[in-house]
Structure formats: C-alpha cells, structure tokens
Amino acid sequence: MWNRDLADLVADGSLRQIGIVLEQHPDRARLFAQWQQMDWPIYADALDLLDLEVVPRSFLLDARGIVVAVNPTEEEVRGFVDSLASAGGADPGPYQPYGAEFRGAHEFLVGNLPAALSAFGEAVEKADDVGGRSRARFRLGVARMAAAEQPNAEPGLFAAALEDWRAALAANPSQYVWRRRIQQYGPRLDKPYSFYDWVATARAELSARGETPATLHHEPSGAELAVPRRGTAEAAAEALSEPDPERRMPAMPAGTLRVESAVVAGTQEQPVVRVHLLLTPVAGAATWNDEGEATEAWLRAPAGWELVDGPSAKIEGSSESALGDGTRRLEFELRRTSDGAAFVEGYVLLDLCLGEDGVCMRLRQDFRVTLP
Amino acid sequence: MSILAASLLLPLLSQGPAVGERFPVHPFPPVAGAERAFGSLAFTGKPALLHVFASW
C-alpha cells in the first residue's frame, strides 16, 4: 500500500505522496522510481538524518506536517483524508533554523564534501555520548564514501568509510540502516539477499516499455550484486590454472598504478572477510585498456584461511567496479579456519596503456593485504 | 566494550518521528520528481503520506 493504491487521492489533490530514500547512492532510487512508476517527489537522506533504524516506514501527516499515524493502512489513510482533522490544528509556526546538532549535514546535502568531512570529524571527536558519537561516525563514513567516488579522490577514503561504519555499528548493533550500508560491500555469507540485482531487471523492463532507463552515476558492482552464500565455503569446482606461475608477465612500472585495499568483515561475527583491491592508474602515466583481457587476480591462500571462491578473481568488463577517477575494484572473500597468517598475497594482471605514446600491454602487479 | 554492552547504553530502537510530533525538515536533495530540496512546503497545505525506504 504505497504507490498506486492511493493514486486516486493524489490525482484529485487531496493527498500528497512523498518519498525519502536512505541510500548511499540515491540515483539508484531514481531508476527504481522510474521502474515502479512512482510519480511523486523523492528525496535523498543518505546520512540517515531521520535517525531511522529500519525501513520501509510510512508516516501519515496532517496539513501542518504533524505525524498522525505511522505505517497506516490504506483504510486509515482514506479515512483521515476525508476527516476534518486532516487540515491539522493550530499553526505550529516556522521551522527552527538548522541547529548545531546538524553541523556537517547541511554542507553534505549541498555538496560541500570537504566542509562536511571536517565537521563530521570534529563531531566524532567532540561527541560526549555513545549515541551521538556513533551517529557522527556513520555520517563521517557516508561523506568519506561519497568523497571516495569523486574524481581525484584522496587515497584511503574507501577503507576509512568502511571502518567508520563498522565502528558506528559496533556501538549500535540494532541499527539496520547502518548494517545494510556495510553489507553492501561485505561478504556474501553476511548478506540477507542481493541488494541491487533488481537493476538489470528494471533496465530490461523499462527498455521493453520504450523508456530510457535513468542513468546511474556509480554502477552497482561486486559485493553489491552478489547473492548470499549459505553454509560453509566451497572452493570453486572448476579446474583453474595459474596465469603467471613463472613470473613472465612484465612487472608494473613504478608510479603507474595506485593500489589500495579495504577488508570488510561480516556484521554477524562470521569468520569471513571480503577484500576490496582498488586499482587506479596514475594520471598521466597510464590509462585502462578496455580492449584488453579482463583484470584478473591470482591469490595464495594464507595459512589459517581458505579462499571462498578459489584462487582466481576477476573484474569482467570495463564499467563494473568503477569508482571515481578510473578506479576499479577487484573483490574476493576469505574464511578463517584457524589462527593463521595476518595477510593475503597474490598478484593482479591487468591491461593498461602507458604514457603519452599509449603503448598498451598486460602487466603484473604483486600485492599484500593485511587481514584482521 | 562488547557490542552487547554498548547497545545497552543506547535508547530503544529509533523509529523516527512519533505520532503527535512535527515531521523534521532537512534540506534533502531531490532524487526524482522534484526540483527543489525537501522543505516544509513539501507537505504543508494538505495531508501527506511520506514513505522512507531504500531500493535495496
């Protein structure tokens, strides 16, 4: 009961329907709204300023903006709209100016990310209670993730955002809106369902309707599309051969590729982690060669860990896993089986075009990622 | 501090504004179907059903 059921009341002008989405990437809700034919205004609250711990939730408001029911039935909405009470009581007066408790929020909402990052960082430091500090930490993570997806982003923001969300959730584990934000990037064992598999269906159905699907600024990728894994890990059944066992591929020249990593643990104590390798060609030194082969990692299982999907991981295609500024994300999962190594090692093979001459070649980049 | 201990320090689940409260206004940017940021005019003047949701 929330879209077409009340269309007659909206059409005759007796009710407004309004949406607010609590997502890191609100443009995905634009595609969702187009697909579901929601023709009412939708706004974005990526910071969860409404302080909701679960969604969806519906609020019936009178004409003065006072909440009269939460999660009302269709009958309750129709009955209220027909009643005199729908006009509301006394005028509650103008809204108060945006208060100090929302410092950073205004800057974030108008797109001033540097100011938002600074304000949220201060709020984390100055908060004198667990709740306030965890809210500020979550919002700092939202701003950092948004900044990580900007062109020329500073290194380390992606991993820092995930750490902010982990710390915030640790202080308030019942906060499911925050939990979903981590799960968006976390191990499949920790996922209740695939978060964004509806995107492909929406695009296909919109195209079939003769509509152009709304553009997404950041394509869902990797963990965001992954389906949940249940039970114990099983190594990939297919026989795989190591692509460069004798180190014959040319090594990545120094100063060509920036490699960052982030390790996301499950939110429910499972001994599984999802590793994100962020690969960014250094501006002026290299660019991606999308006519080459898929970017591929070969992993060595560290002692005390097993590789959930086997030793190989790939980025298929050119658009997947795109963060800002040409960054692509390669992801894989490990399960802890006993006390063991503190890091995972491997190498990535990727196709780049180097320098001004644009010589394109497949190169090898070794890596080591510290595990929790 | 354990997760459980930390959670005990917090109030009960936050479910947003309660019945009888004024719905808070923040300058949420428009995603679809609106040109201006969310404001009090978005729901004053006539009753409104406001849905808070996520597409995931």
Side-chain angles (χ1 to χ4, degrees), chain A residues 24 46-47 108 113 116-117 120-121 124 133-149 157-168 181-182 185:
Chain A
Q24 182 70 26
L47 297 168
F108 178 87
L113 285 178
L117 287 166
F120 287 138
V124 171
R133 189 178 305 113
S134 59
R135 277 188 204 91
R137 194 79 194 264
F138 172 76
R139 290 166 188 168
L140 177 61
V142 173
R144 279 178 163 161
M145 186 60 79
E149 294 176 339
L157 285 168
F158 180 81
L162 290 163
E163 176 55 24
D164 288 331
W165 292 342
R166 187 205 61 74
R181 208 66 65 94
I182 300 173
Y185 300 93

Side-chain angles (χ1 to χ4, degrees), chain A:
Chain A
M1 193 285 299
W2 67 316
N3 187 14
R4 292 162 211 164
D5 296 343
L6 298 166
D8 57 316
L9 296 181
V10 175
D12 71 19
S14 53
L15 178 73
R16 280 198 177 101
Q17 288 207 86
I18 299 166
I20 298 177
V21 292
L22 302 187
E23 292 190 65
Q24 182 70 26
H25 303 96
D27 57 328
R28 295 175 186 174
R30 182 182 304 127
L31 177 65
F32 186 81
Q34 181 190 14
W35 176 42
Q36 294 294 315
Q37 297 177 301
M38 299 172 179
D39 56 359
W40 20 278
I42 296 175
Y43 301 87
D45 179 15
L47 297 168
D48 193 13
L49 296 173
L50 294 176
D51 208 19
L52 285 178
E53 296 196 348
V54 291
V55 287
R57 201 157 174 83
S58 295
F59 299 87
L60 181 60
L61 313 180
D62 68 20
R64 301 282 195 190
I66 305 297
V67 178
V68 297
V70 178
N71 289 340
T73 64
E74 181 177 349
E75 290 68 31
E76 286 173 323
V77 174
R78 290 184 181 279
F80 179 74
V81 167
D82 286 340
S83 72
L84 291 174
S86 66
D91 185 351
Y95 279 84
Q96 295 298 310
Y98 221 46
E101 69 271 30
F102 293 116
R103 201 163 157 257
H106 183 266
E107 289 82 355
F108 178 87
L109 293 172
V110 299
N112 187 349
L113 285 178
L117 287 166
S118 172
F120 287 138
E122 280 185 32
V124 171
E125 295 296 322
K126 292 180 178 175
D128 52 10
D129 66 288
V130 175
R133 189 178 305 113
S134 59
R135 277 188 204 91
R137 194 79 194 264
F138 172 76
R139 290 166 188 168
L140 177 61
V142 173
R144 279 178 163 161
M145 186 60 79
E149 294 176 339
Q150 297 292 310
N152 303 312
E154 286 179 29
L157 285 168
F158 180 81
L162 290 163
E163 176 55 24
D164 288 331
W165 292 342
R166 187 205 61 74
L169 184 67
N172 188 3
S174 65
Q175 229 299 3
Y176 272 82
V177 171
W178 301 357
R179 184 179 295 271
R180 291 286 185 268
R181 208 66 65 94
I182 300 173
Q183 288 174 330
Q184 191 171 334
Y185 300 93
R188 285 176 293 157
L189 188 68
D190 194 33
K191 284 187 182 307
Y193 50 83
S194 175
F195 287 1
Y196 288 105
D197 61 349
W198 60 266
V199 168
T201 305
R203 284 174 170 156
E205 293 186 5
L206 284 165
S207 297
R209 295 202 311 238
E211 298 179 44
T212 302
T215 303
L216 301 187
H217 297 305
H218 301 285
E219 285 289 320
S221 66
E224 299 183 282
L225 294 169
V227 296
R229 174 178 285 277
R230 297 285 177 252
T232 58
E234 297 170 7
E238 60 184 301
L240 293 168
S241 57
E242 183 174 350
D244 188 29
E246 297 174 8
R247 201 178 277 271
R248 289 185 175 172
M249 299 297 290
M252 186 71 62
T256 304
L257 183 74
R258 195 176 83 209
V259 181
E260 295 176 58
S261 63
V263 181
V264 186
T267 62
Q268 300 174 58
E269 309 281 333
Q270 302 103 333
V272 182
V273 297
R274 191 170 183 97
V275 177
H276 298 248
L277 276 184
L278 279 64
L279 309 168
T280 312
V282 174
T287 56
W288 288 104
N289 173 19
D290 287 330
E291 295 176 355
E293 297 175 51
T295 300
E296 176 182 13
W298 188 261
L299 315 163
R300 286 185 282 278
W305 295 82
E306 64 182 4
L307 297 161
V308 172
D309 296 302
S312 177
K314 289 184 179 178
I315 305 176
E316 302 287 352
S318 61
S319 61
E320 189 183 2
S321 300
L323 288 167
D325 202 26
T327 299
R328 294 185 184 172
R329 208 165 58 218
L330 193 149
E331 303 170 32
F332 55 90
E333 295 185 8
L334 297 108
R335 171 190 291 271
R336 184 192 294 277
T337 54
S338 64
D339 290 342
F343 50 83
V344 58
E345 292 179 314
Y347 58 88
V348 182
L349 300 178
L350 65 170
D351 281 48
L352 296 180
C353 298
L354 302 178
E356 294 180 359
D357 297 336
V359 175
C360 299
M361 56 196 304
R362 194 159 180 80
L363 297 155
R364 171 175 173 143
Q365 172 72 55
D366 290 74
F367 67 84
R368 170 188 280 202
V369 176
T370 301
L371 297 171

